[in-house]
Amino acid sequence: MPNKNNMMFSSGGGNGKGDIKKFAVILVSCVLAVLVISILAILSKYDFDVKTAVGGDSVTEESTDAGETEKEEITAEKTWFFWVSDAENDRMRTAWIVKAKLPERELAVMPVKPSTHIDYDSRSLSVEEIRRSFGESKLVFALEREYGIKIDGYIGSDDDGFKSMINYFGGVTVTVPEQIEYRGDDLTLILVKGKQNMKGDTLLKYIRYLDTLGERGMSFQASVMTEIFESVFTPSLVSRAERVYSNISNVLETNITIVDFSSVREAVEAMAEKGFKVKRVAETPQEFLDED
């Protein structure tokens, strides 16, 4: 018969060893976690440069904007013929030949008086007569031959098209050299002296007013064209260059195709990001062609 008093007791030794092992694992894990965090903190202080963190010499990297450098090195030169005609698209109000050049970031503008006579088809005809009788392409050909200037394309408009495009860009910042109070038969213009943002209607009136000043007015008109380019070629143009071209092709008269635009888009964006460093108004073809 079994002895009821012979009872078995567990010392609990097995459970104690398990708890110690668990505690040791937790302790080691905590130490390793602290060590890893410390190492990461030290490396982050040195931009994860292991050599510098352990006492080596730091390697200095020169930061360059690859995109800006690439666009700054773009070589391009394009020349265009611009004009504005009256509401009936019959009489030319004003005209310019414009050249943009990279990497110099140079803009040169030469005014072309619509009444100027040049040789065409064995005759002496005015600029606006050639356009009216033979079209824009023939006029460009005549200007190239007369002035020795290669023209890559043309952009023209009547009054409404000009005002529409200026308004599309939110107006243009123009410097008025002197206060104007002019009242003519079909034109009234009052402007204060200094820089001001002009919307399409006001800018067109200002250009028409300058036409009343003769040769002096032509020079001012050329300066206005440089300011139009300066107002259009801004960093905001980069993200909407394609839309701007689409609007130009729909609103204005141009022979610049989407293929032409695509071929110069990179140069246009580079010019827009940096702006123009040199702006020249050329009174003669020789000054326009001058590279200095």
Side-chain angles (χ1 to χ4, degrees):
M1 183 176 190
N3 187 354
K4 293 181 180 180
N5 293 326
N6 188 13
M7 302 181 66
M8 301 293 294
F9 292 92
S10 173
S11 65
N15 290 336
K17 289 179 182 179
D19 291 340
I20 291 173
K21 288 181 180 180
K22 289 179 181 179
F23 176 75
V25 170
I26 293 172
L27 179 62
V28 170
S29 299
C30 290
V31 171
L32 288 174
V34 171
L35 181 62
V36 170
I37 292 172
S38 299
I39 292 173
L40 290 174
I42 293 171
L43 289 175
S44 65
K45 182 179 178 180
Y46 293 94
D47 294 327
F48 294 91
D49 186 342
V50 177
K51 184 175 180 180
T52 303
V54 298
D57 295 331
S58 175
V59 178
T60 302
E61 295 183 0
E62 295 183 5
S63 177
T64 58
D65 190 330
E68 286 189 2
T69 302
E70 182 182 346
K71 290 182 179 178
E72 185 67 25
E73 294 176 350
I74 293 175
T75 299
E77 181 177 323
K78 292 293 179 180
T79 301
W80 302 280
F81 176 61
F82 292 85
W83 79 88
V84 179
S85 63
D86 60 15
E88 290 73 31
N89 199 22
D90 182 42
R91 185 178 68 85
M92 295 177 75
R93 296 194 184 280
T94 188
W96 309 270
I97 296 177
V98 180
K99 177 174 65 178
K101 188 177 181 182
L102 285 172
E104 292 85 354
R105 290 167 32 220
E106 177 182 307
L107 180 71
V109 178
M110 184 179 78
V112 177
K113 195 171 184 178
S115 60
T116 299
H117 277 66
I118 60 179
D119 291 332
Y120 183 79
D121 196 24
S122 301
R123 290 179 290 173
S124 177
L125 299 173
S126 71
V127 168
E128 66 177 353
E129 283 176 335
I130 296 173
R131 174 181 174 266
R132 188 186 305 119
S133 301
F134 301 99
E136 292 78 19
S137 296
K138 297 295 185 182
L139 172 57
V140 166
F141 173 75
L143 291 170
E144 287 181 320
R145 188 172 58 181
E146 179 73 15
Y147 297 136
I149 298 171
K150 174 68 172 69
I151 298 174
D152 298 290
Y154 62 76
I155 298 177
S157 71
D158 59 12
D159 289 346
D160 290 338
F162 178 81
K163 292 187 288 186
S164 176
M165 282 305 302
I166 295 301
N167 290 337
Y168 174 78
F169 290 113
V172 172
T173 300
V174 174
T175 302
V176 179
E178 53 194 20
Q179 184 170 324
I180 299 171
E181 292 186 17
Y182 179 82
R183 292 175 176 85
D185 294 337
D186 61 346
L187 175 65
T188 298
L189 182 64
I190 299 176
L191 292 173
V192 298
K193 178 181 178 179
K195 281 190 175 184
Q196 50 198 286
N197 182 273
M198 294 187 189
K199 294 300 190 289
D201 187 62
T202 302
L203 184 58
L204 180 61
K205 288 180 179 179
Y206 181 51
I207 288 175
R208 291 178 58 193
Y209 161 75
L210 293 175
D211 194 41
T212 68
L213 303 181
E215 297 296 328
R216 179 167 168 259
M218 286 184 64
S219 180
F220 284 144
Q221 284 181 344
S223 294
V224 169
M225 178 52 94
T226 67
E227 291 177 305
I228 291 175
F229 264 71
E230 194 168 40
S231 293
V232 170
F233 279 75
T234 63
S236 65
L237 178 63
V238 175
S239 61
R240 58 178 185 145
E242 196 165 304
R243 280 175 289 160
V244 169
Y245 166 76
S246 178
N247 205 46
I248 288 174
S249 63
N250 289 329
V251 176
L252 306 183
E253 194 169 341
T254 181
N255 65 342
I256 300 174
T257 67
I258 185 63
V259 175
D260 297 328
F261 166 74
S262 298
S263 69
V264 298
R265 178 168 182 166
E266 190 177 9
V268 167
E269 293 177 352
M271 191 74 79
E273 286 182 347
K274 288 287 189 176
F276 296 101
K277 184 167 61 175
V278 179
K279 294 178 293 180
R280 294 192 296 116
V281 172
E283 302 293 341
T284 65
Q286 185 57 46
E287 289 180 8
F288 184 82
L289 293 169
D290 189 5
E291 301 296 335
D292 297 329

